[in-house]
Amino acid sequence: MHPDHWGDGTARLLMDEAVRSMRAQGRRRAHLWTAEPNHRPRAFYAREGWTPDGGRRSKTRNGVTFTELRYGKEL
């Protein structure tokens, strides 16, 4: 998310809608991936009830390799 929108509630609205949609589809659990060094989004996910489930993978984007962590949440 662009820094101009940090703290304005946009992320929470988007997350709420995504969770609502998954629940409406009958899903019981959701997963997401986020880069390990992304502390701000990881803190947001924790506040929203997402927890790391031990999943890790290596990813390369624009020539930079980093680790992603998988988070899960009961819906």
Side-chain angles (χ1 to χ4, degrees):
M1 179 171 295
H2 192 276
D4 288 350
H5 295 284
W6 289 354
D8 73 357
T10 300
R12 178 159 289 126
L13 290 172
L14 292 169
M15 181 65 73
D16 288 349
E17 183 56 34
V19 168
R20 245 190 314 277
S21 176
M22 288 183 279
R23 285 180 177 145
Q25 294 171 31
R27 297 175 190 248
R28 295 180 178 198
R29 182 157 181 85
H31 295 93
L32 62 82
W33 290 90
T34 189
E36 188 171 28
N38 285 349
H39 300 289
R40 186 178 182 93
R42 289 176 56 201
F44 169 76
Y45 300 141
R47 286 191 305 273
E48 295 296 309
W50 296 81
T51 56
D53 66 8
R56 299 172 70 86
R57 67 184 179 190
S58 182
K59 193 156 198 176
T60 302
R61 183 165 285 150
N62 298 325
V64 176
T65 300
F66 55 94
T67 299
E68 284 189 322
L69 305 175
R70 186 177 62 207
Y71 280 62
K73 178 177 178 166
E74 296 298 321
L75 301 175

